[in-house]
Amino acid sequence: MATFEIPDGPTSVDVPRPAPPTAGAPAAPATAAATYNVTNRSNAICDGRLAVQVAAASKAEWFSIDGERERAFGPGETQTANVRIAIPAEVAAGEYPFRLRVVAVNDPDNDHAEG
């Protein structure tokens, strides 16, 4: 049984393009955020490490997580993970898949969950 669970969260995120820049100004990236709940399903304190897993044409550098990536979770505790998205202006509109992943620090190869 996995220690952590990501029971809910968005299945897609709309990342609106900003207005075109004025002459000579750099183009701003398209930005958005996605919020997930991460729950420790065990009855012990567990350290979890959060990461964004990208797929297809997505790039890891477009994603960041607010706060600490490695966190202590109390027994049964749920914490919020806010994923920030910033896609460069020159990237074509399209679908860029990603998942939030949490691994148990004490067993990262065998104990993980994805949102």
Side-chain angles (χ1 to χ4, degrees):
M1 173 174 86
T3 300
F4 293 100
E5 176 183 49
I6 305 173
D8 55 7
T11 57
S12 66
V13 180
D14 184 33
V15 184
R17 297 287 175 160
T22 58
T31 61
T35 302
Y36 298 85
N37 290 317
V38 180
T39 301
N40 173 3
R41 296 174 42 193
S42 76
N43 12 351
I45 296 172
C46 293
D47 290 338
R49 186 176 303 123
L50 303 171
V52 175
Q53 300 293 308
V54 297
S58 299
K59 305 286 183 203
E61 59 268 17
W62 299 348
F63 303 91
S64 62
I65 299 171
D66 287 350
E68 296 295 322
R69 285 183 167 234
E70 193 166 304
R71 306 175 181 186
F73 289 78
E77 180 182 13
T78 298
Q79 294 185 21
T80 300
N82 195 39
V83 176
R84 300 263 176 209
I85 305 162
I87 300 175
E90 64 273 8
V91 174
E95 292 190 14
Y96 297 98
F98 73 95
R99 292 183 177 272
L100 178 67
R101 179 180 170 110
V102 59
V103 299
V105 173
N106 65 343
D107 190 10
D109 294 330
N110 299 308
D111 192 351
H112 54 84
E114 293 184 351

